Amino acid sequence: MKNNKTVVVKLGTSVLTGNGYHLDTRHMVELVRQCSMMMELGHKIILVSSGAIAAGRSQLAKHSSHLDYDKDVLAAVGQSNLIQTWQILFNLYNIPVGQMLLTRADLEDRERYLRAKHTLNSLINHNILPIVNENDAVCIEEIKVGDNDNLSALTAILAKADELYLLTDQPGLFSSDPRKNKDAELISTVNKIDDKLKSIAGGSGSKVGTGGMATKLQAAEIATRSGVEVIIAKGREPNVITDLVNNKPVGTRFKVMNDIVEGRKQWLLTGPASSGSLIVDDGAQKALLTTGSSLLAKGILSINGEFDSSSLIEIKNTNNDIIARGITCYSSTDLLKIKGLHSEEIKSKLGFINGTAIIHRDDLVVVDAL
Ligand code: GLU
C-alpha cells in the first residue's frame, strides 16, 4: 500500500451548500481541516468543487429580487465567490490554492490536454492545492463535460491519481433506491460495472446537483479503467476524507479494472467526442472487441457528422452503442467514398492514402470491454 497517495476529492453541490442555495462555510472549513491533515502527512489532494451556480444564485439574491439569471451569469458570479471562500479557508492552514477551470474542449484537443496535465501536476508538485470546476461561464453545451462527476474522473486521469472520492448526499450505491425500498443495501465493493449496476444507478438523485448515481457510475467506469480506484461516499459523514485516505471501509468502493488503459490512450477515453461517429458491421465490431484489430474501411456501414482527418470520433455498432473511440486517419468526406471498400482500393478511389487502417489500433480505445 502506498504511503503517500494522490487523491481527487469531488465535492457535489449538496455537500457544499446547506440547502442548495448558499455555501455552507461551516462544513467547508471542516473539509478543509481534513484535507490539510492529509496534506501534512504527505498526501496530495486535488479538489473538484461544484457549488458555483448555487453560490451565484445566493450572491445575486442579496442584490436584486430578479431570480431568473442564466447559468453562465450565476457561474461567473458564483465561481469567484466559491474560490474566494476556499482560498480564505485553506489560508487558515497556510495552504495555497490554484484555480483550474476546464471544459471538454480542453481535454479533447491533445495539446490542450497535455497543457492542462502539466499545470495540474505542477500545482500538486509545489504543494499548491488545485481546485477544479467546469468553466461554466464561457462553456456552451457542445464543449461541456456537463457534470462534475465526469470532470473529476478526467481530472484524476490527468493527475494520475490513486483514488477518486465522489462525495455526495448518499452514503454510497445501494442495491435499489433507498428512498423507495427500505430493504435496500449499501454495496460496499464493485469489481465490475455491468448493465445490472447501471440499471440500479438510474437517474439524478439530488435536487441541487447536476449529476446523480448514473453520472457517478460513468465517472467510476472512466477512472477505474485508467487505474484510479473510486469511492462514492457521503460528504457530510464526519472525517470522511481522512477515513478514506486511511483505507477505512466507507461508502462504495470501485476496484481498478484489469485491462487498464495506459498513457497516450487515456485521453481518448475522456468522454463522448463531438466530431462525429462511424457505424460498423458485426464483423468489424468483433474484430475490434476481441482480436485487438485496427478499424478497416470494409467494416464501415455509415458515417455521421462532418469531421476532418485526425479528429477524435466514436465507433458505434448497429444498435448505436458506442464501442470504441479513436482518431480517424480520414475525413468524413473521404470516408463516404471509401466505406465498405477493401484497403487496397483506397488509393485508387481517393488518389492518396493515409494508411490502410481508418483508425489504427494505437489510436483507438475500446469502451465496451467493461
Ligand atoms: N459546475 C457546476 C457548479 O459549479 C456543478 C456541476 C455538477 O455538480 O455536476 O455549480
Side-chain angles (χ1 to χ4, degrees), residues 153-174:
L154 307 181
T155 304
I157 293 172
L158 282 180
K160 269 183 159 289
D162 300 294
E163 293 175 351
L164 163 62
Y165 306 154
L166 298 172
L167 300 188
T168 182
D169 53 1
Q170 298 289 319
L173 185 65
F174 283 85

PDB file of all heavy atoms in Angstrom, residues 153-174:
ATOM      1  N   ALA A 153     -13.389  12.531 -12.858  1.00  0.00           N
ATOM      2  CA  ALA A 153     -12.703  11.334 -13.382  1.00  0.00           C
ATOM      3  C   ALA A 153     -11.599  11.762 -14.343  1.00  0.00           C
ATOM      4  O   ALA A 153     -10.482  11.236 -14.318  1.00  0.00           O
ATOM      5  CB  ALA A 153     -13.700  10.424 -14.092  1.00  0.00           C
ATOM      6  N   LEU A 154     -11.904  12.750 -15.179  1.00  0.00           N
ATOM      7  CA  LEU A 154     -10.904  13.234 -16.138  1.00  0.00           C
ATOM      8  C   LEU A 154      -9.746  13.901 -15.394  1.00  0.00           C
ATOM      9  O   LEU A 154      -8.577  13.740 -15.756  1.00  0.00           O
ATOM     10  CB  LEU A 154     -11.544  14.223 -17.115  1.00  0.00           C
ATOM     11  CG  LEU A 154     -12.800  13.702 -17.829  1.00  0.00           C
ATOM     12  CD1 LEU A 154     -13.362  14.725 -18.799  1.00  0.00           C
ATOM     13  CD2 LEU A 154     -12.506  12.406 -18.554  1.00  0.00           C
ATOM     14  N   THR A 155     -10.071  14.604 -14.326  1.00  0.00           N
ATOM     15  CA  THR A 155      -9.036  15.251 -13.516  1.00  0.00           C
ATOM     16  C   THR A 155      -8.137  14.187 -12.874  1.00  0.00           C
ATOM     17  O   THR A 155      -6.911  14.333 -12.834  1.00  0.00           O
ATOM     18  CB  THR A 155      -9.693  16.125 -12.420  1.00  0.00           C
ATOM     19  OG1 THR A 155     -10.569  17.038 -13.056  1.00  0.00           O
ATOM     20  CG2 THR A 155      -8.676  16.867 -11.597  1.00  0.00           C
ATOM     21  N   ALA A 156      -8.760  13.117 -12.388  1.00  0.00           N
ATOM     22  CA  ALA A 156      -7.988  12.041 -11.743  1.00  0.00           C
ATOM     23  C   ALA A 156      -7.035  11.390 -12.749  1.00  0.00           C
ATOM     24  O   ALA A 156      -5.904  11.034 -12.412  1.00  0.00           O
ATOM     25  CB  ALA A 156      -8.940  11.002 -11.154  1.00  0.00           C
ATOM     26  N   ILE A 157      -7.491  11.271 -14.001  1.00  0.00           N
ATOM     27  CA  ILE A 157      -6.624  10.692 -15.036  1.00  0.00           C
ATOM     28  C   ILE A 157      -5.461  11.643 -15.326  1.00  0.00           C
ATOM     29  O   ILE A 157      -4.307  11.228 -15.413  1.00  0.00           O
ATOM     30  CB  ILE A 157      -7.431  10.398 -16.320  1.00  0.00           C
ATOM     31  CG1 ILE A 157      -8.442   9.279 -16.048  1.00  0.00           C
ATOM     32  CG2 ILE A 157      -6.511  10.026 -17.471  1.00  0.00           C
ATOM     33  CD1 ILE A 157      -9.427   9.029 -17.164  1.00  0.00           C
ATOM     34  N   LEU A 158      -5.780  12.955 -15.437  1.00  0.00           N
ATOM     35  CA  LEU A 158      -4.727  13.948 -15.710  1.00  0.00           C
ATOM     36  C   LEU A 158      -3.656  13.898 -14.639  1.00  0.00           C
ATOM     37  O   LEU A 158      -2.467  14.035 -14.914  1.00  0.00           O
ATOM     38  CB  LEU A 158      -5.313  15.366 -15.720  1.00  0.00           C
ATOM     39  CG  LEU A 158      -6.092  15.859 -16.934  1.00  0.00           C
ATOM     40  CD1 LEU A 158      -6.552  17.284 -16.698  1.00  0.00           C
ATOM     41  CD2 LEU A 158      -5.255  15.788 -18.192  1.00  0.00           C
ATOM     42  N   ALA A 159      -4.087  13.734 -13.380  1.00  0.00           N
ATOM     43  CA  ALA A 159      -3.148  13.789 -12.253  1.00  0.00           C
ATOM     44  C   ALA A 159      -2.544  12.422 -11.949  1.00  0.00           C
ATOM     45  O   ALA A 159      -1.745  12.308 -11.020  1.00  0.00           O
ATOM     46  CB  ALA A 159      -3.862  14.321 -11.016  1.00  0.00           C
ATOM     47  N   LYS A 160      -2.953  11.404 -12.702  1.00  0.00           N
ATOM     48  CA  LYS A 160      -2.533  10.024 -12.407  1.00  0.00           C
ATOM     49  C   LYS A 160      -2.803   9.719 -10.937  1.00  0.00           C
ATOM     50  O   LYS A 160      -1.941   9.203 -10.209  1.00  0.00           O
ATOM     51  CB  LYS A 160      -1.047   9.826 -12.707  1.00  0.00           C
ATOM     52  CG  LYS A 160      -0.772   9.356 -14.120  1.00  0.00           C
ATOM     53  CD  LYS A 160       0.711   9.124 -14.312  1.00  0.00           C
ATOM     54  CE  LYS A 160       1.043   8.201 -15.471  1.00  0.00           C
ATOM     55  NZ  LYS A 160       0.718   6.824 -15.310  1.00  0.00           N
ATOM     56  N   ALA A 161      -3.991  10.080 -10.495  1.00  0.00           N
ATOM     57  CA  ALA A 161      -4.334   9.920  -9.073  1.00  0.00           C
ATOM     58  C   ALA A 161      -4.465   8.441  -8.717  1.00  0.00           C
ATOM     59  O   ALA A 161      -4.708   7.599  -9.586  1.00  0.00           O
ATOM     60  CB  ALA A 161      -5.644  10.643  -8.790  1.00  0.00           C
ATOM     61  N   ASP A 162      -4.306   8.158  -7.448  1.00  0.00           N
ATOM     62  CA  ASP A 162      -4.514   6.790  -6.970  1.00  0.00           C
ATOM     63  C   ASP A 162      -5.992   6.544  -6.712  1.00  0.00           C
ATOM     64  O   ASP A 162      -6.503   5.464  -6.948  1.00  0.00           O
ATOM     65  CB  ASP A 162      -3.736   6.562  -5.662  1.00  0.00           C
ATOM     66  CG  ASP A 162      -2.261   6.784  -5.868  1.00  0.00           C
ATOM     67  OD1 ASP A 162      -1.665   5.993  -6.602  1.00  0.00           O
ATOM     68  OD2 ASP A 162      -1.717   7.778  -5.333  1.00  0.00           O
ATOM     69  N   GLU A 163      -6.647   7.579  -6.163  1.00  0.00           N
ATOM     70  CA  GLU A 163      -8.042   7.399  -5.779  1.00  0.00           C
ATOM     71  C   GLU A 163      -8.863   8.647  -6.109  1.00  0.00           C
ATOM     72  O   GLU A 163      -8.343   9.761  -6.102  1.00  0.00           O
ATOM     73  CB  GLU A 163      -8.147   7.115  -4.266  1.00  0.00           C
ATOM     74  CG  GLU A 163      -7.531   5.774  -3.913  1.00  0.00           C
ATOM     75  CD  GLU A 163      -7.485   5.487  -2.409  1.00  0.00           C
ATOM     76  OE1 GLU A 163      -7.780   6.392  -1.609  1.00  0.00           O
ATOM     77  OE2 GLU A 163      -7.144   4.345  -2.066  1.00  0.00           O
ATOM     78  N   LEU A 164     -10.142   8.397  -6.385  1.00  0.00           N
ATOM     79  CA  LEU A 164     -11.102   9.490  -6.609  1.00  0.00           C
ATOM     80  C   LEU A 164     -12.259   9.292  -5.640  1.00  0.00           C
ATOM     81  O   LEU A 164     -12.849   8.210  -5.605  1.00  0.00           O
ATOM     82  CB  LEU A 164     -11.610   9.426  -8.061  1.00  0.00           C
ATOM     83  CG  LEU A 164     -12.894  10.197  -8.396  1.00  0.00           C
ATOM     84  CD1 LEU A 164     -12.728  11.688  -8.166  1.00  0.00           C
ATOM     85  CD2 LEU A 164     -13.307   9.935  -9.856  1.00  0.00           C
ATOM     86  N   TYR A 165     -12.548  10.314  -4.834  1.00  0.00           N
ATOM     87  CA  TYR A 165     -13.673  10.234  -3.897  1.00  0.00           C
ATOM     88  C   TYR A 165     -14.815  11.077  -4.444  1.00  0.00           C
ATOM     89  O   TYR A 165     -14.659  12.297  -4.601  1.00  0.00           O
ATOM     90  CB  TYR A 165     -13.290  10.783  -2.511  1.00  0.00           C
ATOM     91  CG  TYR A 165     -12.055  10.139  -1.908  1.00  0.00           C
ATOM     92  CD1 TYR A 165     -11.283  10.831  -0.975  1.00  0.00           C
ATOM     93  CD2 TYR A 165     -11.677   8.844  -2.245  1.00  0.00           C
ATOM     94  CE1 TYR A 165     -10.142  10.252  -0.415  1.00  0.00           C
ATOM     95  CE2 TYR A 165     -10.546   8.264  -1.689  1.00  0.00           C
ATOM     96  CZ  TYR A 165      -9.779   8.966  -0.785  1.00  0.00           C
ATOM     97  OH  TYR A 165      -8.661   8.397  -0.240  1.00  0.00           O
ATOM     98  N   LEU A 166     -15.928  10.444  -4.734  1.00  0.00           N
ATOM     99  CA  LEU A 166     -17.107  11.181  -5.192  1.00  0.00           C
ATOM    100  C   LEU A 166     -17.984  11.399  -3.971  1.00  0.00           C
ATOM    101  O   LEU A 166     -18.709  10.487  -3.535  1.00  0.00           O
ATOM    102  CB  LEU A 166     -17.847  10.370  -6.256  1.00  0.00           C
ATOM    103  CG  LEU A 166     -17.069  10.076  -7.549  1.00  0.00           C
ATOM    104  CD1 LEU A 166     -17.840   9.100  -8.439  1.00  0.00           C
ATOM    105  CD2 LEU A 166     -16.761  11.363  -8.302  1.00  0.00           C
ATOM    106  N   LEU A 167     -17.878  12.577  -3.374  1.00  0.00           N
ATOM    107  CA  LEU A 167     -18.603  12.835  -2.127  1.00  0.00           C
ATOM    108  C   LEU A 167     -19.942  13.499  -2.446  1.00  0.00           C
ATOM    109  O   LEU A 167     -20.017  14.491  -3.162  1.00  0.00           O
ATOM    110  CB  LEU A 167     -17.767  13.702  -1.189  1.00  0.00           C
ATOM    111  CG  LEU A 167     -16.418  13.094  -0.791  1.00  0.00           C
ATOM    112  CD1 LEU A 167     -15.756  13.935   0.291  1.00  0.00           C
ATOM    113  CD2 LEU A 167     -16.551  11.637  -0.318  1.00  0.00           C
ATOM    114  N   THR A 168     -20.978  12.902  -1.886  1.00  0.00           N
ATOM    115  CA  THR A 168     -22.330  13.305  -2.246  1.00  0.00           C
ATOM    116  C   THR A 168     -23.248  13.266  -1.029  1.00  0.00           C
ATOM    117  O   THR A 168     -22.767  13.206   0.103  1.00  0.00           O
ATOM    118  CB  THR A 168     -22.810  12.376  -3.403  1.00  0.00           C
ATOM    119  OG1 THR A 168     -24.095  12.770  -3.808  1.00  0.00           O
ATOM    120  CG2 THR A 168     -22.816  10.908  -3.010  1.00  0.00           C
ATOM    121  N   ASP A 169     -24.588  13.327  -1.277  1.00  0.00           N
ATOM    122  CA  ASP A 169     -25.503  13.298  -0.125  1.00  0.00           C
ATOM    123  C   ASP A 169     -25.959  11.876   0.210  1.00  0.00           C
ATOM    124  O   ASP A 169     -26.782  11.686   1.103  1.00  0.00           O
ATOM    125  CB  ASP A 169     -26.712  14.229  -0.373  1.00  0.00           C
ATOM    126  CG  ASP A 169     -27.410  13.933  -1.690  1.00  0.00           C
ATOM    127  OD1 ASP A 169     -26.975  12.999  -2.406  1.00  0.00           O
ATOM    128  OD2 ASP A 169     -28.382  14.626  -2.011  1.00  0.00           O
ATOM    129  N   GLN A 170     -25.448  10.888  -0.513  1.00  0.00           N
ATOM    130  CA  GLN A 170     -25.788   9.481  -0.250  1.00  0.00           C
ATOM    131  C   GLN A 170     -24.565   8.755   0.319  1.00  0.00           C
ATOM    132  O   GLN A 170     -23.447   9.064  -0.078  1.00  0.00           O
ATOM    133  CB  GLN A 170     -26.163   8.778  -1.562  1.00  0.00           C
ATOM    134  CG  GLN A 170     -27.365   9.350  -2.268  1.00  0.00           C
ATOM    135  CD  GLN A 170     -28.642   9.052  -1.521  1.00  0.00           C
ATOM    136  OE1 GLN A 170     -28.830   7.951  -1.002  1.00  0.00           O
ATOM    137  NE2 GLN A 170     -29.509  10.050  -1.413  1.00  0.00           N
ATOM    138  N   PRO A 171     -24.779   7.740   1.173  1.00  0.00           N
ATOM    139  CA  PRO A 171     -23.615   7.017   1.727  1.00  0.00           C
ATOM    140  C   PRO A 171     -22.905   6.128   0.718  1.00  0.00           C
ATOM    141  O   PRO A 171     -21.862   5.562   1.014  1.00  0.00           O
ATOM    142  CB  PRO A 171     -24.237   6.144   2.830  1.00  0.00           C
ATOM    143  CG  PRO A 171     -25.622   6.623   3.009  1.00  0.00           C
ATOM    144  CD  PRO A 171     -26.052   7.323   1.761  1.00  0.00           C
ATOM    145  N   GLY A 172     -23.475   5.963  -0.479  1.00  0.00           N
ATOM    146  CA  GLY A 172     -22.841   5.113  -1.490  1.00  0.00           C
ATOM    147  C   GLY A 172     -23.891   4.636  -2.462  1.00  0.00           C
ATOM    148  O   GLY A 172     -24.971   5.227  -2.557  1.00  0.00           O
ATOM    149  N   LEU A 173     -23.572   3.543  -3.154  1.00  0.00           N
ATOM    150  CA  LEU A 173     -24.512   2.961  -4.115  1.00  0.00           C
ATOM    151  C   LEU A 173     -25.278   1.836  -3.425  1.00  0.00           C
ATOM    152  O   LEU A 173     -24.678   0.982  -2.776  1.00  0.00           O
ATOM    153  CB  LEU A 173     -23.712   2.419  -5.313  1.00  0.00           C
ATOM    154  CG  LEU A 173     -24.518   1.864  -6.483  1.00  0.00           C
ATOM    155  CD1 LEU A 173     -25.339   2.960  -7.149  1.00  0.00           C
ATOM    156  CD2 LEU A 173     -23.571   1.249  -7.517  1.00  0.00           C
ATOM    157  N   PHE A 174     -26.597   1.847  -3.563  1.00  0.00           N
ATOM    158  CA  PHE A 174     -27.439   0.842  -2.906  1.00  0.00           C
ATOM    159  C   PHE A 174     -27.950  -0.185  -3.920  1.00  0.00           C
ATOM    160  O   PHE A 174     -28.014   0.095  -5.122  1.00  0.00           O
ATOM    161  CB  PHE A 174     -28.627   1.530  -2.230  1.00  0.00           C
ATOM    162  CG  PHE A 174     -28.254   2.193  -0.935  1.00  0.00           C
ATOM    163  CD1 PHE A 174     -27.726   3.482  -0.932  1.00  0.00           C
ATOM    164  CD2 PHE A 174     -28.405   1.531   0.276  1.00  0.00           C
ATOM    165  CE1 PHE A 174     -27.366   4.093   0.250  1.00  0.00           C
ATOM    166  CE2 PHE A 174     -28.040   2.142   1.462  1.00  0.00           C
ATOM    167  CZ  PHE A 174     -27.520   3.415   1.457  1.00  0.00           C
TER     168      PHE A 174
END
